[in-house]
């Protein structure tokens, strides 16, 4: 049962934590957290029937399969082990044989069903409770968790710059919620300019842009050797080996050498003569590794024609063997057992674009949404004009990321193990979510700052490309 639960756990990815992505969209007012968040009790109730159904099904199957496996394998081993340890501790146990119990005895079936149900319930319900409570918003009494600290903006910046992925994930999530649902805290971020390391907006925008640009860096670095390998591949100074032979002769080198006068010179002369003879007279038949002569080759050819038919000879050729191997490998990959060995297009895009071993898609979405909302809100809330100078960089980063992501997904070659690939699978779900967030962000930025593009230093080409991406080319 543990093996079955492990396979199901990995196949259905029970460890995946579902987190709602609250997005405002173009022209819509920010949604409150109470409208989008679902209470843990409600989530638990909604998933409980499906989990109970799965647990009941596996328990019933285990009640029939478990007793057979127990009777054939575990029962004899458990009996011998128990007898050994009982006699080891000096218990007076008479020599008795293991009683014969049929596999489908009702007691075994009942115990298997009850034990399986309780064990599966413990696994599934504890995993469900963990996933639900970990995915709760980073709030405390309806306020961001950094609100009660002495330096809320400093704590938030430290979380955004943290090296730990879990801390960074909750920091970006908190930033997205602050941008969408807490205008007072948003104003505090935009007006906090006297801080070590730069203004709060400058440090937050830098962290968010670095997260978004990480998509471009991973795509551009795909297929490139790692930095350590590049450093090792650089030409290094070759150090000469110590001399192990006699130095080159000088003077009349064309004259015949004098006869060897010592045993060492005699050995050197014979070895050199043998090596020169091999180099000057290489073997003429490199395709004959066994060194058969022409007559032996004729005998082998005659024996092959006599023992094997032309079809059999064709079947053992390297090309035919390779073709048969490819056919069997394709059938294996198409089967259920070959699924773990497939490198599907969606899985490869997920690991390349969003990082590995853990995906950073939530960080990217939160960074895009936070920058968009903070930038558009700065028109009324930024008293010092710190945000305006960063609008061209934000818009250009969105454009480059959108174009790079689209170009990569349309040109990435399919792995040979992805035998069930079709062209409509190139736009994966996660990629579409990021593209949609970038498109909506560009649309809001163009609507908010398009009329001030000249004053803000936004290039006309960037405005045209942003309008084309956002579907506003005719406006």
């Amino acid at each position: 049962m543990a093996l079955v639960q492990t396979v199901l756990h990995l196949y259905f990815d029970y460890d995946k934590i579902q987190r709602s992505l609250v997005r405002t969209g173009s022209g819509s007012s920010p949604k409150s957290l109470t409208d989008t968040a679902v209470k843990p009790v409600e989530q638990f109730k909604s998933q409980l029937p499906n989990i109970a159904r799965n647990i009941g099904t596996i328990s019933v199957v285990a009640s029939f399969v478990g007793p057979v496996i127990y009777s054939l394998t575990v029962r004899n081993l458990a009996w011998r082990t128990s007898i050994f340890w009982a006699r080891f501790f000096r218990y007076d146990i008479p020599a008795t044989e293991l009683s014969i119990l049929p596999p489908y005895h009702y007691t075994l079936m009942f115990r298997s069903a009850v034990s399986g149900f309780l064990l599966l319930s413990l696994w599934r319900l504890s995993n469900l409770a963990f996933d639900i409570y970990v995915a709760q918003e980073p709030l405390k009494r309806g306020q961001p968790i950094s609100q009660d600290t002495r330096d809320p903006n400093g704590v938030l910046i430290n979380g955004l710059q943290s090296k730990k992925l879990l801390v960074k994930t909750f920091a970006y999530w908190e930033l997205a919620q602050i941008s969408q649902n807490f205008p007072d805290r948003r104003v505090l971020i935009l007006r906090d300019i006297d801080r070590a390391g730069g203004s709060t907006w400058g440090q937050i925008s830098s962290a968010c842009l670095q997260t978004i640009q990480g998509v471009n860096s991973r795509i551009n670095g795909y297929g490139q050797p790692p930095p350590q390998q590049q450093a090792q591949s650089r030409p290094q100074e070759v150090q000469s080996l110590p001399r192990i032979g006699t130095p080159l002769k000088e003077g009349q080198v064309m004259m015949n050498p004098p006869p060897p006068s010592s045993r060492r010179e005699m050995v050197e002369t014979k070895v050199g003569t043998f090596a020169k003879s091999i180099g000057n007279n290489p073997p003429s038949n490199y395709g004959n590794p066994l060194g058969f002569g022409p007559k032996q080759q004729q005998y082998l050819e005659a024996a092959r024609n006599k023992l094997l038919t032309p079809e059999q000879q064709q079947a053992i050729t390297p090309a035919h063997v390779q073709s048969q191997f490819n056919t069997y490998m394709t059938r294996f990959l198409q089967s259920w057992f070959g699924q773990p060995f497939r490198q599907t297009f969606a899985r490869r895009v997920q690991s390349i674009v969003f990082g590995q071993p853990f995906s950073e898609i939530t960080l990217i979405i939160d960074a895009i949404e936070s920058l968009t909302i903070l930038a558009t809100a700065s028109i009324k809330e930024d008293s010092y004009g710190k945000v305006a100078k960063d609008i061209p960089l934000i818009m250009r980063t969105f454009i480059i990321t959108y174009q790079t992501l689209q170009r990569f997904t349309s040109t990435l070659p399919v792995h040979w193990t992805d035998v069930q690939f079709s062209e409509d699978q190139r736009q994966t779900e996660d990629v579409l979510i990021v593209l949609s967030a970038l498109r909506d962000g560009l649309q809001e930025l163009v609507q908010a700052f398009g009329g001030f593009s000249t004053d803000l230093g936004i290039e006309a080409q960037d405005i045209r490309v942003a309008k084309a991406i956002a579907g506003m080319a005719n406006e």
Side-chain angles (χ1 to χ4, degrees), residues 36-49:
T36 57
V38 181
K39 296 181 179 180
V41 177
E42 298 298 330
Q43 297 183 39
F44 196 88
K45 289 181 179 180
S46 63
Q47 300 188 32
L48 189 59

Side-chain angles (χ1 to χ4, degrees), residues 145-146 149-160 171 174 185 195:
I145 55 177
S146 62
T149 60
R150 294 183 178 179
D151 186 9
N153 291 340
V155 173
L156 179 60
I157 292 174
N158 291 335
L160 297 176
E174 181 183 358
R185 182 69 185 277
R195 176 175 293 276

Side-chain angles (χ1 to χ4, degrees), residues 247-258:
L248 297 177
K249 296 181 180 180
E250 299 180 357
Q252 299 295 331
V253 296
M254 301 301 295
M255 297 178 59
N256 293 329

Side-chain angles (χ1 to χ4, degrees), residues 89-397:
F89 288 106
R90 308 296 183 179
Y91 285 102
D92 187 12
I93 298 179
T96 57
E97 296 293 336
L98 181 63
S99 62
I100 299 177
L101 187 67
Y104 287 113
H105 196 273
Y106 71 94
T107 57
L108 283 180
M109 297 181 64
F110 178 76
R111 292 176 182 177
S112 298
V114 174
S115 301
F117 182 83
L118 295 177
L119 186 59
L120 288 173
S121 300
L122 176 64
W123 286 338
R124 295 294 301 275
L125 295 180
S126 59
N127 186 79
L128 176 62
F130 177 83
D131 292 346
I132 290 177
Y133 281 95
V134 167
Q136 294 303 300
E137 301 87 351
L139 300 176
K140 183 179 180 181
R141 299 186 185 94
Q143 295 294 324
I145 55 177
S146 62
Q147 189 68 31
D148 293 339
T149 60
R150 294 183 178 179
D151 186 9
N153 291 340
V155 173
L156 179 60
I157 292 174
N158 291 335
L160 297 176
Q161 299 174 352
S162 175
K163 300 298 183 181
K164 298 181 179 179
L165 183 59
L166 181 61
V167 176
K168 184 184 293 187
T169 301
F170 278 95
Y172 274 93
W173 194 358
E174 181 183 358
L175 176 62
Q177 293 187 346
I178 290 173
S179 304
Q180 297 171 2
N181 302 282
F182 300 96
D184 296 338
R185 182 69 185 277
R186 189 171 60 214
V187 172
L188 182 63
I189 290 176
L190 296 176
R191 296 181 180 179
D192 186 8
I193 61 175
D194 188 11
R195 176 175 293 276
S199 63
T200 300
W201 158 255
Q203 297 186 53
I204 288 177
S205 62
S206 177
C208 292
L209 289 175
Q210 185 177 0
T211 299
I212 300 172
Q213 291 170 355
V215 175
N216 303 327
S217 302
R218 286 187 289 268
I219 291 177
N220 296 330
Y222 172 69
Q224 302 294 333
Q228 296 180 355
Q229 187 174 352
Q230 291 180 358
Q232 295 176 0
S233 63
R234 295 176 181 174
Q236 300 179 356
E237 183 180 356
V238 179
Q239 298 180 358
S240 59
L241 298 174
R243 186 182 298 277
I244 58 176
T246 58
L248 297 177
K249 296 181 180 180
E250 299 180 357
Q252 299 295 331
V253 296
M254 301 301 295
M255 297 178 59
N256 293 329
S261 58
S262 63
R263 183 179 297 273
R264 177 177 178 180
E265 293 180 355
M266 186 180 300
V267 173
E268 291 179 354
T269 302
K270 291 183 179 181
V271 172
T273 303
F274 176 73
K276 292 177 182 177
S277 64
I278 295 179
N280 295 330
N281 301 295
S284 59
N285 187 12
Y286 287 102
N288 182 15
L290 297 179
F292 291 148
K295 198 153 190 161
Q296 288 86 350
Q297 290 286 348
Q298 292 179 2
Y299 289 152
L300 288 175
E301 187 70 22
R304 183 175 64 178
N305 295 333
K306 186 174 182 181
L307 296 176
L308 301 176
T309 63
E311 292 78 9
Q312 292 175 338
Q313 296 181 23
Q314 178 66 23
I316 62 175
T317 57
H320 189 271
V321 172
Q322 181 68 27
S323 176
Q324 288 292 329
F325 175 79
N326 293 339
T327 302
Y328 292 139
M329 181 60 67
T330 302
R331 293 178 181 175
F332 171 75
L333 292 172
Q334 290 175 345
S335 65
W336 188 85
F337 298 99
Q339 289 186 7
F341 303 96
R342 298 179 198 163
Q343 296 190 25
T344 60
F345 186 85
R347 193 182 306 167
R348 293 176 63 213
V349 169
Q350 179 84 9
S351 62
I352 296 171
V353 175
F354 305 116
Q356 56 180 347
F358 303 106
S359 175
E360 297 184 1
I361 182 173
T362 56
L363 275 69
I364 298 170
I365 296 296
D366 291 337
I368 295 172
E369 294 295 329
S370 300
L371 283 180
T372 302
I373 298 174
L374 288 174
T376 54
S378 67
I379 298 178
K380 298 180 180 180
E381 300 173 357
D382 185 13
S383 303
Y384 303 101
K386 291 290 185 179
V387 180
K389 62 182 181 61
D390 294 329
I391 298 301
L393 178 59
I394 295 174
M395 186 174 296
R396 191 175 302 113
T397 302

